[in-house]
């Protein structure tokens, strides 16, 4: 067979806050087939990549179908507890100019320090610049099997009255199925879903607004962690959507208490919770 050498130019590593990673490569002429040889490939959560597609690419129907069709397929995969990823690409004819700015930013100690600490910086801005206008390529789904004995151990912990929480960045359907397979969600349990689908107002809780709240109280983070947490929670509770969610949880608690499945002291049937994560 034919051996092709692909040159790796840059890597944008995966981070939970980004929910994606990218590689920038230079293809050999045989694979580029007359097109731009420098290409960025990006993989990550569909919620992140779909919003980064070029308008034409998002609407087009090609080999992999439309974005809407692929989104439906991802939902079906999630319902059977498969772990999913979407991948896309972008040709980079403007690479030389961009790379000069990127190298310059990485040679700036203050930029590197901000990048490593997760603060806004030119490095992340330049990464975001290339991770947009993408062309959808497809999606993958894999089965992530539980280790032997996990469901049985979690069932024993629930039986003993231990409260168990599972924090995950998965899609809601995947999280539910994994939680059921782990015996975190009992067959007789009452499931309360707090998501953008059940609380449309949650869409208003943008990451930018949450970050603004955190920044406003940054001064307390290093001096008094308890005060910092108290002030942040208090500020978040000023948002109407947060108050609506709290009211719904209180209503659900009263309903469960009326059926004898929960009491105000926090004791109950040893159930737990499933948290898809703030970014969801």
């Amino acid at each position: 067979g034919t051996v092709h050498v692909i040159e790796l130019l840059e890597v944008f590593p995966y981070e939970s806050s980004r929910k994606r990673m990218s590689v920038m490569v230079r293809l050999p002429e045989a694979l580029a087939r007359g097109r731009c040889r420098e290409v960025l490939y990006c993989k990550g959560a569909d919620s992140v990549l779909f919003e980064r597609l070029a308008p034409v690419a998002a609407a087009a129907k090609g080999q992999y179908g439309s974005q809407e069709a692929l989104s439906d397929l991802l939902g079906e995969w999630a319902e059977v507890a498969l772990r999913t990823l979407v991948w896309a690409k972008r040709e980079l004819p403007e690479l030389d100019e961009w790379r000069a700015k990127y190298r310059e930013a990485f040679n700036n100690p203050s930029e590197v320090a901000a990048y490593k600490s997760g603060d806004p910086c030119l490095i992340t801005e330049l990464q975001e610049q290339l991770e947009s206008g993408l062309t959808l390529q497809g999606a993958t789904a894999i089965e992530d099997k539980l280790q032997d004995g996990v469901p049985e151990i979690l069932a024993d912990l629930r039986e003993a009255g231990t409260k168990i929480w599972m924090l995950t960045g998965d899609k809601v359907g995947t999280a539910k199925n994994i939680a059921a397979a782990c015996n975190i969600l009992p067959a007789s349990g009452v499931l309360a879903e707090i998501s953008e689908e059940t609380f449309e107002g949650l869409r208003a809780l943008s990451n930018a607004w949450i970050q603004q709240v955190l920044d406003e109280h940054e001064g307390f983070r290093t001096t008094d962690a308890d005060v910092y947490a108290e002030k942040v929670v208090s500020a978040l509770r000023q948002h109407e959507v947060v108050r609506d969610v709290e009211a719904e949880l209180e209503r659900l608690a009263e309903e469960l208490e009326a059926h004898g499945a929960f009491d105000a002291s926090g004791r109950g049937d040893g159930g737990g919770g499933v948290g898809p994560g703030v970014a969801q």
Side-chain angles (χ1 to χ4, degrees):
T2 303
V3 177
H4 296 289
V5 178
I6 299 175
E7 182 183 356
L8 180 63
L9 302 177
E10 301 285 352
V11 176
F12 303 161
Y14 175 86
E15 295 176 5
S16 57
S17 59
R18 285 166 37 83
K19 290 191 174 183
R20 64 186 184 278
M21 74 165 291
S22 297
V23 294
M24 190 187 308
V25 301
R26 179 173 290 121
L27 301 175
E29 291 286 0
L31 294 182
R33 299 176 182 175
R35 301 181 66 88
C36 181
R37 293 178 58 193
E38 289 75 34
V39 182
L40 176 131
Y41 292 97
C42 183
K43 69 172 184 177
D46 58 292
S47 59
V48 172
L49 261 64
F50 280 165
E51 65 185 20
R52 296 180 173 277
L53 296 178
V56 174
K61 291 186 177 181
Q63 179 181 356
Y64 302 99
S66 66
Q67 176 183 331
E68 183 179 358
L70 184 57
S71 182
D72 291 341
L73 181 58
L74 289 168
E76 294 176 12
W77 286 344
E79 288 298 326
V80 291
L82 296 180
R83 309 294 295 274
T84 63
L85 279 177
V86 171
W87 64 292
K89 73 173 185 178
R90 174 181 172 178
E91 295 182 354
L92 305 172
E94 74 282 16
L95 179 61
D96 290 342
E97 179 181 352
W98 177 92
R99 207 173 186 195
K101 296 178 181 178
Y102 196 63
R103 290 296 94 198
E104 182 179 353
F106 255 109
N107 288 329
N108 185 326
S110 62
E111 287 290 336
V112 173
Y115 176 67
K116 290 183 177 179
S117 63
D119 295 329
C121 63
L122 182 58
I123 294 174
T124 54
E125 287 181 16
L126 289 168
Q127 291 177 348
E128 294 261 356
Q129 181 182 326
L130 290 195
E131 292 175 327
S132 62
L134 301 173
T135 300
L136 182 64
Q137 297 298 290
T140 62
I142 62 172
E143 181 182 7
D144 194 2
K145 292 185 177 180
L146 297 171
Q147 294 182 3
D148 293 341
V150 169
E152 293 78 11
I153 291 174
L154 291 178
D156 289 343
L157 290 172
R158 283 188 53 257
E159 189 66 25
T162 302
K163 302 295 181 182
I164 302 171
W165 290 81
M166 180 180 82
L167 303 180
T168 171
D170 287 316
K171 296 174 74 66
V172 174
T174 307
K176 289 179 182 177
N177 280 280
I178 292 177
C182 288
N183 282 325
I184 293 177
L185 291 181
S188 59
V190 177
L191 180 63
E193 181 178 329
I194 308 299
S195 66
E196 289 184 355
E197 285 69 32
T198 57
F199 285 84
E200 293 186 3
L202 284 176
R203 301 180 192 276
L205 290 178
S206 66
N207 287 336
W209 179 77
I210 294 174
Q211 188 60 52
Q212 180 182 339
V213 171
L214 297 177
D215 291 343
E216 288 174 354
H217 302 88
E218 178 66 20
F220 293 97
R221 189 170 66 158
T222 55
T223 58
D224 193 325
D226 290 337
V227 173
Y228 173 68
E230 181 180 343
K231 287 185 174 296
V232 168
V233 170
S234 177
L236 291 175
R237 282 178 169 164
Q238 300 305 309
H239 201 292
E240 181 181 357
V241 175
V242 176
R243 294 198 299 270
D244 288 345
V245 171
E246 286 188 320
E248 175 62 16
L249 290 176
E250 290 177 1
R251 185 200 63 77
L252 178 63
E254 293 174 358
E255 180 179 330
L256 293 174
E257 187 173 5
H259 288 81
F262 175 84
D263 63 40
S265 66
R267 297 185 301 272
D269 69 349
V274 181
V278 173
Q280 288 288 328

